[in-house]
Amino acid sequence: MKPRFRIKALLSLPALLTALPAAGSVLLVPYSGIPEEQDTTVSVRTLEESVVASFRPDGAIRDMAADVNVVTSLDAKKSVATTAADVLSREPGLSKGGDGVWATNIHVRGFGEDRLVTLVDRVRVAVATEHTTSLSMLDVNDIERIEVVKGAQSSIYGTGAVGGIINVITKDGHFANEPYFGGRFTANYASANNGHGEYLSLQGGGRKWYVRASGSFYGAGDIRTPQGYLPNSAYKSANAALKAGFKPKENRVLKLNFQQSHSWDVGVPGGAAFSPQATATFKNADRTLASLSYGMTAITESLSNLDFKVFYQGIRLDVEMQPNAPKPQTGARPVLVTPGATHRTFGARAESRWDPAGWNNLRAGAEIWQRRISSYRYKYIDKYSDGEPVSQVVLNETPLPDASYTSAGIFVQDAMNFLDGRLLLDLGARADVNHVSNSSCATFPEGSRTDPSWSANAGLLFKACRECDLTLNVSRSYRSPALEELFKFIDLSGNKVHYGNPSLKPEKGLGADLGVRARSDGFEFHLSAYVNGIRDMIVERRMNVEAESVNDTLVLQNAGRALLYGFDFSISYEIIKGLKVYASGDWTIGREISDNWNWLPGIPPLNARAGISYDNMKILGASFECVAAGARKDGQIASGERATQGWYRLDFAIHSRIFTFGRCALQLFAGVDNITNQTYTNFLATNRGNIICEPGRNFFIRANFTF
């Protein structure tokens, strides 16, 4: 839940992009990004007015039937956020899981990242489903905003968006009538793991060009919990980014985007694929993004925009795992396993935006992308005789065959309004052809498969009165199995072996979402109830021949039919100007309805958040809130999961007013998470490994200086 302020200044002319707003004003920024020299002066953005590019161009949240969350760069500054998942987890319907402090992910209404489409600047992030790193290889300080479309309420991005879309939009430069130069320096510190980060960005430009460059370094030790330090939870990370724009003509724009992330010695205290006694580390986790786009505006009276984009994104993960198995008297003992994989995604996209009438806004286009994966695994095995090692064997294995996934599709999203804008209708559809091919390896033969797919959505928004809106969304979604689900073979010498299944059927989903929004004189309320039915949902099942065996053989299978349903809400009230109370929460149930209504894995418990905040831009801003989660008891969990107790945590944050020095500005942020040093467990993290206790009391401070 975010504080809400009245808009006092709106950007309507490009020239205003270089002017500093008056004290206390709020800047409404366009999708293209905010000027870097103004970043500190931006205090709050009214999300009711935010433009959501992931769903519909130039569409404000209050004019959309879809259930959308938007978080901004300010949200990250106000907290001790290490990754994007830390920021998103404060939103209703979104829950954080992961394998550690750095390796985190987001669940949207019970759906994990394998059923979400994650985008960075509208480029897919494709990585192994066993690793929670999609949102970790992003510099939080480079994030301009994150848009989350909850549920399959947009057909623009094709296969995989069963649970929703996470679109991360990074900071960009801007054009200006006069030449300019500026930048920003940010430094932060967190006490729980002696974590620190330093970030610097520089940008300059003029009427026809701009360039923006940034770089950062982050490092942290093992994190402190109320039960002691969590071993193997340290990390190091460095990031660099470059964006440039050029206007060959007034209505033509060429843009370059390059991003590089490198993390190393990242401890992984959790992990579904690792045995409980193992010690695992990401020795290297690298992401490279490069894209080139060309956009045209004001082409004809009805064709307003035409955009072309080519992109590449490469991700490499190198893991080092020590099984820590006991020494045998006679036999073999694995002492080190080093799996790794490279994921490369290439693609091109063309998109047009049409305004054939004042009541109609159409978005249509085509996209093709291909993901390629190659992997390796080395096992170092000591052989023993009479309790002493006598030799070592090194095995070179291929966990996954070299494989590629190609998807080509066309899409359309049409927004119409009737009854003088009181009734809004959103219709979308997409058709894809998905082709998978793989080479042969010891585990899987050479093969290929083609899965045609289609998805569609319809949303209705009725403005019953000036203060109340009603929304209804229905959707049909589709998810073709990922490469890891088809071909994986994970044997890290623990007590579990994970197999893929080339015979998996695609998942098909039907969903509905009913919502109500109310607002009046400082009061805001939003409630959304949803239901999602999934046919042929892919789950992992224990397939042991001997039921009493301690070594599990886990194989992916289609579960038949599954049902997820629940609700999320948010409410706030401004008691006096600047002083607000707020609350939010969500609850999801996930069951296999074709198999005795067994619980689905990875379903978060009831979550709630309540607090009070005060913001006076002439003095300071502060918030105090309670975060809580319900229990997941035996009988409410899937096979192989562990029950957890309910918990609560108290957090406090404060930020200063903006101190200005000529055209420079400084703002300070500080706070403490888990004030009472509460011992608690996160269900989504606990069930991925050995993270039985979350961080304890943590003081943080951040300084943000722009020039």
Side-chain angles (χ1 to χ4, degrees), residues 314-475:
I315 295 176
R316 180 177 178 86
L317 299 174
D318 296 311
V319 182
E320 182 179 275
M321 198 272 288
Q322 299 175 9
N324 297 325
K327 296 179 181 179
Q329 280 296 112
T330 302
R333 173 180 177 252
V335 293
L336 183 66
V337 185
T338 57
T342 300
H343 312 260
R344 297 183 178 93
T345 303
F346 308 83
R349 182 183 181 93
E351 184 174 316
S352 60
R353 301 178 186 179
W354 302 77
D355 299 299
W359 53 271
N360 193 10
N361 185 288
L362 184 69
R363 184 177 185 178
E367 181 183 34
I368 182 170
W369 57 273
Q370 182 182 78
R371 178 191 174 201
R372 301 175 186 173
I373 185 172
S374 58
S375 63
Y376 72 89
R377 180 170 63 221
Y378 291 94
K379 281 186 181 178
Y380 299 82
I381 302 174
D382 285 349
K383 292 191 174 182
Y384 282 76
S385 177
D386 296 328
E388 296 295 330
V390 294
S391 63
Q392 186 177 78
V393 176
V394 180
L395 299 180
N396 183 1
E397 300 176 332
T398 303
L400 247 70
D402 290 346
S404 67
Y405 184 113
T406 305
S407 180
I410 55 175
F411 60 88
V412 61
Q413 189 83 31
D414 194 12
M416 297 166 281
N417 66 81
F418 307 94
L419 303 178
D420 295 326
R422 291 186 60 195
L423 182 66
L424 292 91
L425 179 64
D426 278 309
L427 299 175
R430 175 160 173 155
D432 290 271
V433 175
N434 308 302
H435 179 75
V436 175
S437 63
N438 68 285
S439 62
S440 62
C441 68
T443 314
F444 301 100
E446 182 179 357
S448 65
R449 60 182 284 176
T450 300
D451 296 322
S453 70
W454 65 275
S455 56
N457 67 278
L460 189 68
L461 168 64
F462 177 61
K463 298 183 177 182
C465 61
R466 188 166 177 260
E467 295 83 14
C468 183
D469 301 335
L470 302 175
T471 63
L472 173 65
N473 291 275
V474 293
S475 61

Side-chain angles (χ1 to χ4, degrees), residues 477-490:
S477 57
Y478 186 99
R479 187 178 80 92
S480 185
L483 294 175
E484 292 83 5
E485 293 172 323
L486 295 171
F487 306 120
K488 75 175 175 181
F489 167 53
I490 300 178

Side-chain angles (χ1 to χ4, degrees), residues 357-643:
W359 53 271
N360 193 10
N361 185 288
L362 184 69
R363 184 177 185 178
E367 181 183 34
I368 182 170
W369 57 273
Q370 182 182 78
R371 178 191 174 201
R372 301 175 186 173
I373 185 172
S374 58
S375 63
Y376 72 89
R377 180 170 63 221
Y378 291 94
K379 281 186 181 178
Y380 299 82
I381 302 174
D382 285 349
K383 292 191 174 182
Y384 282 76
S385 177
D386 296 328
E388 296 295 330
V390 294
S391 63
Q392 186 177 78
V393 176
V394 180
L395 299 180
N396 183 1
E397 300 176 332
T398 303
L400 247 70
D402 290 346
S404 67
Y405 184 113
T406 305
S407 180
I410 55 175
F411 60 88
V412 61
Q413 189 83 31
D414 194 12
M416 297 166 281
N417 66 81
F418 307 94
L419 303 178
D420 295 326
R422 291 186 60 195
L423 182 66
L424 292 91
L425 179 64
D426 278 309
L427 299 175
R430 175 160 173 155
D432 290 271
V433 175
N434 308 302
H435 179 75
V436 175
S437 63
N438 68 285
S439 62
S440 62
C441 68
T443 314
F444 301 100
E446 182 179 357
S448 65
R449 60 182 284 176
T450 300
D451 296 322
S453 70
W454 65 275
S455 56
N457 67 278
L460 189 68
L461 168 64
F462 177 61
K463 298 183 177 182
C465 61
R466 188 166 177 260
E467 295 83 14
C468 183
D469 301 335
L470 302 175
T471 63
L472 173 65
N473 291 275
V474 293
S475 61
R476 196 269 187 184
S477 57
Y478 186 99
R479 187 178 80 92
S480 185
L483 294 175
E484 292 83 5
E485 293 172 323
L486 295 171
F487 306 120
K488 75 175 175 181
F489 167 53
I490 300 178
D491 178 10
L492 300 180
S493 303
N495 57 354
K496 294 182 180 180
V497 180
H498 304 258
Y499 285 98
N501 184 352
S503 300
L504 287 173
K505 302 175 185 177
E507 295 179 344
K508 281 82 74 176
L510 292 174
D513 181 293
L514 181 65
V516 58
R517 306 168 187 165
R519 57 196 171 273
S520 175
D521 297 329
F523 172 79
E524 293 186 6
F525 174 74
H526 177 209
L527 172 66
S528 183
Y530 53 87
V531 59
N532 290 288
I534 309 294
R535 189 174 63 179
D536 296 322
M537 189 170 189
I538 298 170
V539 297
E540 196 170 51
R541 295 196 185 279
R542 188 173 184 264
M543 302 295 290
N544 292 34
V545 177
E546 299 179 0
E548 66 277 5
S549 173
V550 297
N551 297 315
D552 288 341
T553 298
L554 302 166
V555 181
L556 288 167
Q557 290 188 338
N558 292 106
R561 295 180 181 273
L563 186 69
L564 292 92
Y565 56 94
F567 69 88
D568 54 58
F569 76 94
S570 62
I571 185 171
S572 67
Y573 179 66
E574 192 173 36
I575 303 171
I576 58 174
K577 185 176 181 180
L579 181 64
K580 184 175 71 171
V581 291
Y582 59 89
S584 64
D586 57 82
W587 182 60
T588 301
I589 299 294
R591 312 293 286 267
E592 289 185 44
I593 60 178
S594 58
D595 188 13
N596 298 321
W597 285 80
N598 289 331
W599 280 78
L600 293 171
I603 303 298
L606 173 70
N607 286 279
R609 184 182 299 268
I612 183 169
S613 67
Y614 177 73
D615 219 317
N616 184 327
M617 290 309 298
K618 294 182 179 179
I619 305 175
L620 55 80
S623 66
F624 177 79
E625 67 179 27
C626 176
V627 185
R632 271 282 186 243
K633 301 179 180 179
D634 292 329
Q636 300 177 334
I637 56 178
S639 176
E641 292 186 323
R642 287 176 286 182

Side-chain angles (χ1 to χ4, degrees), residues 30-46:
Y31 163 65
S32 58
I34 63 174
E36 189 69 47
E37 64 268 24
Q38 291 182 341
D39 188 75
T40 299
T41 65
V42 177
S43 56
V44 164
R45 284 179 226 170
T46 302

Side-chain angles (χ1 to χ4, degrees), residues 53-73:
S54 305
F55 190 79
R56 192 174 78 216
D58 305 325
I61 290 179
R62 65 176 300 172
D63 292 330
M64 289 186 178
D67 197 348
V68 181
N69 288 89
V70 177
V71 299
T72 69
S73 58

Side-chain angles (χ1 to χ4, degrees), residues 141-208:
N141 279 293
D142 260 336
I143 294 174
E144 168 61 24
R145 59 195 280 133
I146 307 176
E147 302 170 350
V148 181
V149 180
K150 293 186 286 192
Q153 299 177 27
S154 176
S155 300
I156 294 174
Y157 297 102
T159 179
V162 176
I165 298 164
I166 299 176
N167 185 20
V168 181
I169 300 169
T170 62
K171 294 182 182 295
D172 201 356
H174 68 283
F175 300 104
N177 287 339
E178 299 294 334
Y180 69 90
F181 174 79
R184 176 162 66 103
F185 176 75
T186 299
N188 61 271
Y189 173 78
S191 66
N193 57 358
N194 287 322
H196 64 93
E198 296 79 39
Y199 170 89
L200 175 66
S201 66
L202 300 171
Q203 73 167 0
R207 194 170 63 87
K208 292 285 188 179

